Amino acid sequence: MDQDKRDRDAGSGGNPPGDSWVNGLPQGRRWSGIAWSLLFLLVPVLGTATFVIAPYYNHWFPKDVSVHGRSIDDLFYFILVLTGVIFLATELILFWFMWKYDAAASSKPATYIHGSHALEVVWTIIPAATMLFLAIYQMNTWADIKMRRPRMSPSAEVVARQFEWRIRYPGRDETLGTPDDLFIVNDLHVPVDEDFLIQLKSMDVLHSFFLPNLRMKQDAVPGMKQPVWFKATETGTYDIVCAEVCGWGHYKMKGRVTIESRADFDRWLARIEAEQKATQRGPDEIPIAAAD
Amino acid sequence: MSTVTQPHAPSPATAPHDPRAPHDQAVPQRSMSLSTFLSTYVFSKDHKVIGLQFLFSTLVWFLIGGLLALAVRWQVAWPWSDVPVLGKLFAQQGGQMAPEFYTMLFTMHATVMIFLVIIPILAGAFGNFLIPLMIGADDMAFPTLNMLSYWFMWPAFFFFGVSFFVEGGAAAGGWTSYPPLSTSTVSAPGSGMGQTLWLLGLTMVGVSSMLGSVNYMTTIILMRAPGMTMFRLPMTIWAMFITAILQAFALPVLTAAGFMQLTDRLIGTGFFSPEGNIINNAMSGAGGGQPILWQHLFWFYSHPAVYIMILPAMGMVSDILTTFARKPLFGYRPMVYSIAGIAGLGFIVWGHHMFISGMNPALGITFMVATMMIALPSAVKTFNWLGTIWGGRIHYTTAMLFAISFVSMFIIGGLSGIFMAATPVDIFIHDTYFIVAHFHYVLFAGTAMGVWAGIYYWFPKMFGRTMNEFWGKVHFFLTFTFLNGTFFTMHILGAVGFPRRLADAYHYETFHHLQPLNAFMTWCAIGMVTSQIVFAINFFWSMFRGPIAGRNPWNANTLEWTAPSPPGHGNFDFQPVVYRGPYEYSVPGCEKDYLMQTDPPHPAEAAAAAAAHA
Ligand code: HEM
Ligand SMILES: [Cu+2]
Ligand SMILES: [Cu+2]
């Protein structure tokens, strides 16, 4: 009981035996403090290296072939530089403090300080201003991509269902939902250098219409019609990916988007039209109308 | 015994025991009857026993969640190849994983980790164990409620557990459980019974959290020891307090939404089902509802929940950093205010999970601004942690290494949040591995590392013995290295647009070259899980064989270190009276480098305070 009381008064006692435990706290060796701080130094070093090296191995953005994609990528780089600077600064400071203030490195007592009002103000105001700037800076890009829809009737309708993309072109009358509509599955064709407006729907569950090369993604929600628009800048064939889990076959819900010249696009449409007339394929066989 | 409301008197009468003898509270005599055994170890109302029950249960689920993660990683790295070991366990088509099995795996991995590990280990295990001890109370305000909060986890364990074995398997709609996939029973194999059980399990976790939350708030407000003002509370307690408030306000929404989804499934209420939906060539449900409504309700809870999943870890890390830097916490009040700020803002940012969901894009802008602003208190906390170790005398204990790594890793997770908060960038990276990188940096590299810091730090208080430092450091080194190998590279996958939740993405031209990187990450993940063997052995070995710890093995300041290790029933063998804040380390002129909260006023303090104001 006396020992117990003494413990309490001293606030300490009964430490594990062994000479590495001095005055209550395990005393490290200097080399271990150095080693641990170097381990933490690896975080900014290897972290930065990863981001620098990855593009050289083609582990980076897929090629951008859209008009607005440029502003998304630029914004990404802007944030990358901004956060990169903060990342390096804070991680290097952490490393430096770990290295310098290792208890085994000096016998100086710790600084008795509870904070600094001035510092708090500085490191509140500066990030606040930066974040506010970033918030305002990007609004316009967002509005361009998701809010300022081109004034035109839809160039095509994409209806997602487990596990395919059903695509419908308006046909010669340029109106969706008429008998001359053209139907095709998983094979979207888009004329280059023109605004292209898609009406996106889903028949069953959520899906997400993801065009990595066009920097476009939009969830398809049953019961809603989502407008999706973009302007392609280069011809080629690229992936359409489903990015919202939609069931067991989600991984294989793959489509292709072909960007081609106006002439090629028209030729392709004509061919689809001819094929469709020949096989008499129409809305009856594809229950797309039900989703209207 | 003056100002405190104590439901039952502390027990100085039971004091004559050796505080260093382990298990002095339980007195496990051979003659113990079954009912004593049950009331002491099983249906105990002692907050410490309940805390440890939470700890053991969640650690078991942590292992299960980890194995599920490895199975997920296996499929991502080597799709459709035979799964070793686990393949036999769930023998599907000859050891090879079916895609619906894969969707179930990632759903249940996240579900287990979030609802059965992270939330209950922070609030349930650490909250329970630490709150009364750190505020100087002899137990929680409502011990029975506390016991129930643990026992309500068991129906949850049961529902989630058996769901693996029902027809169609466990839930497979993602941990976010978005309808109509989750409400329409025909939409996927896992949308059958498994999904119903999932919803029931979730509700039980909610009940448990709610019981805990009410208890924590009451206890912290009413049962603090004399002299323990709110602004003398350690950060751990502040964090637990604000977390409890978050739970209390956010949970009802999730519970209600869960019931709506349940009735949609069972009696066709159609809250989340649109008109005329055709799933699997069959008309589905009543209609008249909105799938996006679920997302709003779900994230209204689940965004605050991500803070429920990190604030307590932030609190614990703050305490551990000060102890091993032998320095007062830098900016105590800003630290408190920033937690409160995170909690407040946390309620108005949920829409950042829905930027491209079809939600009004103008609404997206307001959520974007709020999200940008929530990065601010996170930044303030980080700077104050750096300020805390600046000028300190750092002792590299295992607990300290884990705590420092929390800071280092939280920086990464916080910064990646900014990319996703930028709505135009989020168009590209939403639902890619960039998101997966982000939340593993905050939740695994952050919270889980904070939890380990907490375990190594409070282990002596829990079991009266200290964990082995050498093997602790081995554990730290391996976990830290492998975790970065696993998760840092995910940012790169995200930059390529590599989508999450795909059983096989390599048939896409855009992603076919990413397999080697994914294989590397899977090897790291295997290493990471395997390293936990070191922890498990150290944990159990130290529990019985570790060096006996005294009351205060780390020379720390807070109240729990004045109690015996482990504390007996009623916690303190004297009435703690608090004279100062929790972080008076290295007071100049003081003979030792710490002043416990209970130490009587010291002349050096007055001098130091005068000097500070001069
Ligand atoms: C600096 C502060 C943070 C910011 C700005 C931020 C921002 C975001 C954003 C915008 C998303 C949605 C991304 C998308 O799905 O496209 C997100 C997802 C997520 N965040 Fe954070 N976050 C922050 C901190 C945290 C913290 C502290 C946690 C947890 C402890 C967390 C956990 C998560 C999780 C779990 C998800 C993904 C949920 C899912 O889709 O499965 N975040 N975050
Ligand atoms: Cu899908
Ligand atoms: Cu969120």
Side-chain angles (χ1 to χ4, degrees), chain A residues 58-130:
Chain A
N58 192 24
H59 279 47
W60 201 238
F61 299 151
K63 186 171 145 201
D64 165 42
V65 295
S66 71
V67 168
H68 70 257
R70 182 68 197 276
S71 39
I72 290 183
D73 293 359
D74 286 350
L75 188 59
F76 187 101
Y77 282 120
F78 179 74
I79 299 175
L80 187 62
V81 171
L82 189 79
T83 54
V85 170
I86 304 169
F87 170 67
L88 281 176
T90 46
E91 299 283 2
L92 289 176
I93 289 172
L94 183 66
F95 153 73
W96 177 238
F97 287 176
M98 285 180 74
W99 175 284
K100 179 139 185 253
Y101 299 112
D102 178 5
S106 84
S107 51
K108 252 190 33 206
T111 318
Y112 181 70
I113 182 171
H114 289 83
S116 149
H117 189 68
L119 271 177
E120 299 289 347
V121 171
V122 169
W123 66 41
T124 306
I125 302 271
I126 293 180
T130 316

Side-chain angles (χ1 to χ4, degrees), chain B residues 299 302-304 306-307 349-350 352-353 371 438:
Chain B
W299 288 116
S302 290
H303 183 83
V306 305
Y307 292 108
V349 299
W350 79 86
H352 65 212
H353 298 274
T371 304
H438 163 71

Side-chain angles (χ1 to χ4, degrees), chain A residues 163 165 205-208 242-247 249-251 253, chain B residues 502:
Chain A
F163 298 98
W165 305 98
V205 298
L206 299 180
H207 301 272
S208 194
C242 179
E244 182 67 68
V245 65
C246 56
H250 171 52
Y251 73 99
M253 191 163 158
Chain B
L502 253 54

